[in-house]
Structure formats: structure tokens, C-alpha cells
Amino acid sequence: MNIDALKSVANAIVAKQKGVLAADESSPTIKKRFDSIQLESTEENRRRYREILFTADGTERTLGGVILFDETLRQSTRDGVPFPTLLAGRGIIPGIKVDQGTKALALHPGNKVTVGLDGLAERLAEYRQLGAQFAKWRAVIEIDERDIPSPFGIHANAHALARYAALCQEAGLVPIVEPEVLMDGAHGIERCEAVTAQVLQAVFAELDAHRVLFEGMLLKPNMVIAGKKCARQAGVQEVAEATLRCLRRYVPAAVPGIVFLSGGQSEEDATDHLNAMNAMGAQPWQVSFSYGRALQAPVLAAWKGQEGNVAAAQQALLKRCHLNGLAREGKYSRSMEAAT
Ligand code: 5MM
């Protein structure tokens, strides 16, 4: 394991003002996104869309990395430049989603476990050859009124995340460890904080047991936030304080960066929450973003699958990247939404 190389990639992804664009939608997810703009999810349309994302001028100022899906890692621009080569040439580190989605956890109703460990070592070696320098694995934890998640459901996901992270480091790829506590449901922010705490505690215990080097990984957690159907939605400052309190208790200071997922928040909320956390002063780790929907929703809405809308779509991405870059330093305010 080349420790210096892992540290250097992890730190570069969360360098000043920088974060990650999560563009690793699997085939069913990208189909859902394209359905929203009445566009068929063909291989060529997916390629066209990713080319729009990856060639948007100026985004290299705030994107340290982009997460790709297997198909995308093997695709190229219209002019034949492989996407990983294009991104690396722009100073944006290419990464790859390596989990293979979730399955119901046997004998634990309501709990899911992420699969994809079989053959992972071989896939990582190939992804590295194709240009990936980091990898991502997402565990999905649902909160329900009943006893969900169960302690074993949390343990099973933490164990799989740690096995994946160890394999990544052995293969020379920086693992982005993503335990996502979903914001679906009617639970309050307090329940989200309690479950997120249990999950992070379990994840770092397993990472440690698997000898994962904390300095050579990144964490991609949910923010601590009320469920979408909860009657009381917490304010921006409350979310920022609860999230940092929870992370400071359970995430070792040796981890170089936290790159939050957006999880279904509006793009403005995701930026505002990130900003509020950074405005609270220096933390043990960089506090950054790895947003999918909160970066891409306005891009899809502007593009609508039409060639004539490409410039507007790229402008929409640049705007979100720019505002999140400011939020990385606590310099964003909602009034900038209209101004930019
Ligand atoms: C971009 O979507 C990623 C892949 O999701 P599927 O496996 O469901 O296709 C996803 O892991 C994403 O990286 C995270 O959920 C963060 O995205 P959001 O939209 O929550 O910021």
C-alpha cells in the first residue's frame, strides 16, 4: 500500500474550495432522472449528458473529483477522448462507484445490505488501469418507526463498507465510505442524529478492525436532518450544529475530509447547510460536498435533452459548483442565488 499516494489523492479531492460531483447514477437511477425530462435513457444519451457535465468550463476550480459509473468510465467524448483522461487533464480526479446496489438483509425485515464484494479485488485492478484513483461504496440505512435499522443491519453494512475500503487501499484507490441514513420518513432530527451516531460508531470500529488507514480515505455521510415527512423541519443552523456535533463525536481527526451527500435536499438547502457548517470555524477535517442531485437537478432542467441548451446546462452546473465552493469557506448567502 502506497500510503503517501493515498493521502495525496484524498487531500487533493478536498483541497481548498473543492468537492466532488457524484455522477455515478446506476442505470435504473439515471433512467429516473431522464424520465423527469422525458428523455430516453439510451447509452448515447447517457454519454451526451455526461460529456456536458465533464466539459463544463470553470468547474475545475471547485471540483476535486467526479464519481463515475462503470459504463461512464469506459465512455469517451464525441471526439474520442476517454472520460477519465479528459477529467484528469482538467485536474479533476476520476473515481468510480464500485458497489452493486442493495438487497434485503435476510431475516432482518426492513434492513438492506449493499452487495458487490465478490470479485471486487479484480474489478478494482481494472478500474485503476482505466484511470480511476478513488472508489465509492454506498450503504443505505432506512429509519422506520419500528425497530429499523436493527443493530445487526447497521453492523452488516459497516462490515461491508470496511471490507470494501480495505480492498480499495490495497489496490491503491482512495475509498469514499458512504453510509447514508435516508431522509425519507417522518422521524425528527433527534432520531436522525441518534441513528447517524450509531452508524458512524459502527463504521469506524469496523474500518479500524480492518486496518483501514484513516488518512487515506474520505467519509461521505448524510447531514443530520429531519425526515421529509416530519412536521418539524429544523432550521439551517440547527442542522449544521447537530451534524457537526455528531461527526465530531464519531469521526477520527485523521480522516482528511467529510464530503456530504445531498440526499434529496433542494440545491439551495444543501449549499446553505454546508455553508453554515463551514461558518462555524475550522473542524478536524475538511467539510465539503459530494452531491449528486443538488448539483445536477438544475443541469437536467436546463438541458432537457436538447443540443441547443448545452451552454445553459453547463452554466447551471458552474453556478452550483461556484456556490458550493463559496460554502466550503462559509462565504455563501441565499441572496447569491439570484445574483449568479
Ligand atoms: C449519484 O447517485 C449515486 C448512485 O446512486 P444509485 O446507486 O442509486 O444509482 C449515489 O450513490 C450518490 O452518489 C449519493 O446518493 C449522493 O447523491 P445525492 O443525490 O444524495 O447527493
Side-chain angles (χ1 to χ4, degrees), residues 34 38-42 45-46:
F34 281 4
Q38 288 85 49
L39 182 69
E40 197 187 343
S41 180
T42 62
N45 279 341
R46 294 191 291 270

Side-chain angles (χ1 to χ4, degrees), residues 20-30 32-33 50 67 69 97 99-102 136-140 178 180 182-183 220-221 259-265 270 290-296:
V20 176
L21 166 64
D24 58 314
E25 295 84 359
S26 56
S27 305
T29 305
I30 195 70
K32 258 194 260 166
R33 305 282 182 263
R50 266 65 183 252
I67 316 173
F69 184 57
K97 164 197 174 76
D99 67 74
Q100 295 178 325
T102 59
K136 194 207 77 175
W137 176 289
R138 173 169 169 251
V140 178
E178 181 180 8
E180 174 173 9
L182 294 183
M183 61 185 279
K220 176 165 173 168
V259 288
F260 286 103
L261 59 91
S262 57
Q265 300 176 50
S290 173
Y291 295 156
R293 284 162 287 181
L295 286 173
Q296 293 185 55

Side-chain angles (χ1 to χ4, degrees), residues 283-327:
Q283 303 300 327
W285 358 257
Q286 294 298 310
V287 176
S288 185
F289 60 92
S290 173
Y291 295 156
R293 284 162 287 181
L295 286 173
Q296 293 185 55
V299 184
L300 278 168
W303 180 45
K304 300 186 190 77
Q306 306 294 320
E307 214 47 41
N309 294 336
V310 167
Q314 292 190 320
Q315 197 49 43
L317 179 63
L318 184 60
K319 172 181 171 179
R320 292 269 41 102
C321 287
H322 173 66
L323 294 177
N324 283 298
L326 291 174

Side-chain angles (χ1 to χ4, degrees), residues 73-119:
L73 191 75
R74 303 169 196 277
Q75 286 178 323
S76 302
T77 64
R78 191 183 313 227
D79 300 335
V81 183
F83 284 145
T85 309
L86 169 84
L87 290 166
R90 299 185 60 210
I92 302 173
I93 301 175
I96 175 79
K97 164 197 174 76
V98 299
D99 67 74
Q100 295 178 325
T102 59
K103 298 269 186 224
L105 181 61
L107 305 183
H108 287 260
N111 289 266
K112 288 183 175 147
V113 68
T114 302
V115 297
L117 288 170
D118 288 349

Side-chain angles (χ1 to χ4, degrees), residues 97-165:
K97 164 197 174 76
V98 299
D99 67 74
Q100 295 178 325
T102 59
K103 298 269 186 224
L105 181 61
L107 305 183
H108 287 260
N111 289 266
K112 288 183 175 147
V113 68
T114 302
V115 297
L117 288 170
D118 288 349
L120 181 56
E122 293 74 21
R123 284 195 290 130
L124 292 175
E126 189 200 3
Y127 289 147
R128 193 155 190 255
Q129 282 205 326
L130 289 169
Q133 296 183 53
F134 69 95
K136 194 207 77 175
W137 176 289
R138 173 169 169 251
V140 178
I141 311 287
E142 281 173 39
I143 297 183
D144 198 293
E145 281 162 24
R146 294 167 293 151
D147 188 21
I148 295 174
S150 71
F152 187 78
I154 292 175
H155 170 76
N157 277 291
H159 184 81
L161 275 166
R163 292 240 358 244
Y164 135 83

